[in-house]
Amino acid sequence: MTGTLSSPTAQELTPDELLEAYRTMRTIRAFEERVHDEFAGGDIPGFVHLYAGEEASATGVCSHLDDRDAIASTHRGHGHCIAKGVEVKPMMAEIYGKLTGSCHGKGGSMHIADLSKGMLGANGIVGGGPPLICGRALASQKRGDGGVGVAFFGDGASNQGTTLESLNLATIWNLPAIFVAENNGYAEATSSSWSVATDDIADRAAAFGMPGVIVDGFDFFAVHEAAGEAVARARAGGGPTLIEVKFTRYYGHFEGDQQLYRADEVAHARENLDCLKRFRARVTADGQLDAAQLDRIDADVAALIEEAVAEAKAAPKPGADDLLTDVYVSY
Ligand SMILES: Cc1ncc(C[n+]2csc(CCOP(=O)(O)OP(=O)(O)O)c2C)c(N)n1
Ligand SMILES: [Mg+2]
């Protein structure tokens, strides 16, 4: 049941859709590069895990989602948030722990959530997302609202009981759920070749009676195609899919990681595999877009990130009066 998408046929995408996909990937990259630099300055509290290098996954999957749909994320969640439409400025403020942040400065990088956008939250619990998505997908199924739930999780999380139980539940309940295993080769410093029992995480799909697909995670078009099939199947009542997206993260596990467990794979990926470079090369070679259009997006995004950082730094921190708000959700 496991298939591999190595040389995909791009689905028809309009120029506007291509520009939007590029803007999303560029926004994630610029956001993460800036957070990397700012973290080194010491003003950002807490732990930060960056998504740079993995942009095609969140972007390719979320390009099929709309307001009916929800995603669950991980500790490496900034890219998922941006791709699902969470505003960049409140996200940056949240990372700085400021009152203007998405969660009023009380969540930080690892707990950004925006339920109004169907972003159920970054999550410090490895393997925490898949059970949440079973619940959300079950709610959509019962309400008949056509919504799908997508759980992003890592290769490390793929070994968690919560993930495996969720795959099982999703099939027996025939849920409109998609499980996106983002295999970046490591859980902290532990190689997935050592910790994952199968060569490919997607192979596990057969054990849970669902289709499993392996995708080149540096290729937006490959992710977009695989996710498109999975979302269409889920919406049509065809049940869940496991998509394994393979790539490399460009920064350490967390900011401050010395990365003594790997050598030159990042330089190789940045040079030869990078999703933004490949996207640019493909759409300009096809004549679908020209380089000036993409350069304009780069400039817009750079300005947005600059403003987001300046506003986040200038914003107030939550005070003692804010201590007891946002503790409970009221329905
Ligand atoms: C339940 C649980 N166990 C352990 C941890 C500590 N921890 C945080 S991130 C991480 C590695 C996760 O690896 P993976 O799922 O591959 O995601 P990646 O960091 O590669 O994106 C671990 C073990 C945790 N946060 N939660
Ligand atoms: Mg990993």
Side-chain angles (χ1 to χ4, degrees):
M1 267 183 147
T2 302
T4 304
L5 278 176
S6 52
S7 55
T9 318
Q11 290 182 336
E12 286 295 315
L13 284 158
T14 65
D16 281 348
E17 287 168 338
L18 290 171
L19 287 168
E20 195 180 327
Y22 182 78
R23 183 182 294 277
T24 301
M25 290 199 292
R26 175 59 72 197
T27 304
I28 297 170
R29 177 68 54 85
F31 190 96
E32 297 297 62
E33 287 179 340
R34 186 62 182 265
V35 170
H36 173 77
D37 292 345
E38 294 291 330
F39 191 86
D43 285 344
I44 295 179
F47 263 89
V48 171
H49 308 80
L50 299 178
Y51 194 71
E54 306 189 3
E55 294 87 350
S57 173
T59 307
V61 172
C62 291
S63 60
H64 295 284
L65 305 183
D66 59 39
D67 290 347
R68 296 169 291 176
D69 308 319
I71 65 169
S73 173
T74 70
H75 53 285
R76 200 175 300 289
H78 307 166
H80 305 135
C81 292
I82 291 172
K84 192 64 177 67
V86 182
E87 299 289 335
V88 161
K89 288 183 176 181
M91 279 182 63
M92 191 64 87
E94 188 60 38
I95 288 170
Y96 273 87
K98 297 300 182 73
L99 200 52
T100 51
S102 322
C103 305
H104 303 141
K106 300 172 192 175
S109 163
M110 239 189 297
H111 301 99
I112 300 176
D114 187 344
L115 302 189
S116 72
K117 304 283 185 191
M119 167 58 190
L120 302 187
N123 201 322
I125 301 169
V126 170
L132 287 178
I133 279 308
C134 283
R136 176 59 189 237
L138 182 64
S140 272
Q141 185 190 60
K142 295 294 177 205
R143 288 196 293 243
D145 62 14
V148 304
V150 179
F152 293 94
F153 57 98
D155 45 285
S158 77
N159 298 324
Q160 291 288 77
T162 48
T163 303
L164 301 168
E165 291 171 41
S166 298
L167 292 170
N168 190 56
L169 267 186
T171 295
I172 60 171
W173 289 345
N174 195 38
L175 294 179
I178 293 145
F179 298 91
V180 182
E182 299 190 316
N183 187 352
N184 58 17
Y186 299 96
E188 299 201 356
T190 302
S191 166
S192 55
S193 63
W194 187 86
S195 64
V196 180
T198 47
D199 286 343
D200 299 305
I201 294 168
D203 281 348
R204 292 179 173 171
F208 296 102
M210 68 176 76
V213 187
I214 300 166
V215 181
D216 174 354
F218 288 108
D219 183 350
F220 164 81
F221 295 98
V223 178
H224 182 267
E225 182 169 313
E229 282 178 21
V231 171
R233 179 162 47 246
R235 289 206 203 284
T241 302
L242 173 61
I243 301 174
E244 178 181 5
V245 181
K246 291 178 189 279
F247 42 30
T248 301
R249 58 170 153 73
Y250 283 0
Y251 293 111
H253 169 65
F254 62 100
E255 288 307 276
D257 178 3
Q258 287 186 292
Q259 302 185 70
L260 300 177
Y261 50 87
R262 61 179 180 172
D264 56 359
E265 66 194 44
V266 175
H268 170 74
R270 280 185 183 270
E271 186 58 30
N272 304 303
L273 305 172
D274 184 73
C275 60
L276 281 151
K277 283 187 186 167
R278 278 169 70 177
F279 186 97
R280 280 185 80 106
R282 175 161 177 172
V283 297
T284 52
D286 288 356
Q288 289 167 290
L289 297 175
D290 61 57
Q293 291 173 286
L294 301 171
D295 293 344
R296 273 198 295 280
I297 289 179
D298 292 352
D300 286 353
V301 168
L304 173 65
I305 300 297
E306 195 60 46
E307 281 174 25
V309 171
E311 290 176 21
K313 285 183 174 174
K317 288 183 177 168
D321 289 349
D322 306 303
L323 207 58
L324 296 179
T325 57
D326 303 315
V327 179
Y328 296 106
V329 176
S330 40
Y331 295 97

